[in-house]
Amino acid sequence: MQNMTVLPLVDAIFAITSAPENAVICTREPFSWGAESVIAQYTEDFRVPKDVQLKGFKYFLGKEDVVDLLDKIAAKRASRETQAEFVAHYAMFDAYPYWFDDLQER
């Protein structure tokens, strides 16, 4: 059983950047920046641990994907919440949100 600290998704998105490489964010739906989330470790066969699933958390994104997305939006002027919403949108739709190109460059 993993130690599960529940965080708002916005905090989990930024916290996972310092987590081990096999870390994954699991979130309760709907995926929005305030959704309850945990950072877990993939099992040996790269699955979300059963105890995390049983608590109602679903796969959101792995560390590598989150870091890549945060790097992408880092070139834009965006609040922490906007950055989290960008990551959440990508997790849900596998595409950047329509408003991404409207954000000003840094």
Side-chain angles (χ1 to χ4, degrees), residues 13-79:
I13 286 170
F14 294 99
I16 200 170
T17 62
S18 60
E21 289 305 310
N22 65 342
V24 59
I25 297 174
C26 298
T27 304
R28 290 193 174 120
E29 293 178 319
F31 295 161
S32 66
W33 61 267
E36 291 185 333
S37 306
V38 295
I39 297 174
Q41 303 300 310
Y42 282 121
T43 62
E44 287 183 12
D45 58 350
F46 296 99
R47 296 179 187 263
V48 172
K50 269 287 192 231
D51 59 321
V52 173
Q53 293 177 39
L54 291 173
K55 297 224 182 237
F57 294 96
K58 299 184 184 290
Y59 171 83
F60 178 73
L61 282 175
K63 176 183 178 172
E64 184 177 329
D65 292 326
V66 173
V67 169
D68 289 346
L69 289 164
L70 290 176
D71 286 347
K72 177 76 174 172
I73 200 168
K76 304 282 189 171
R77 293 183 188 269
S79 68

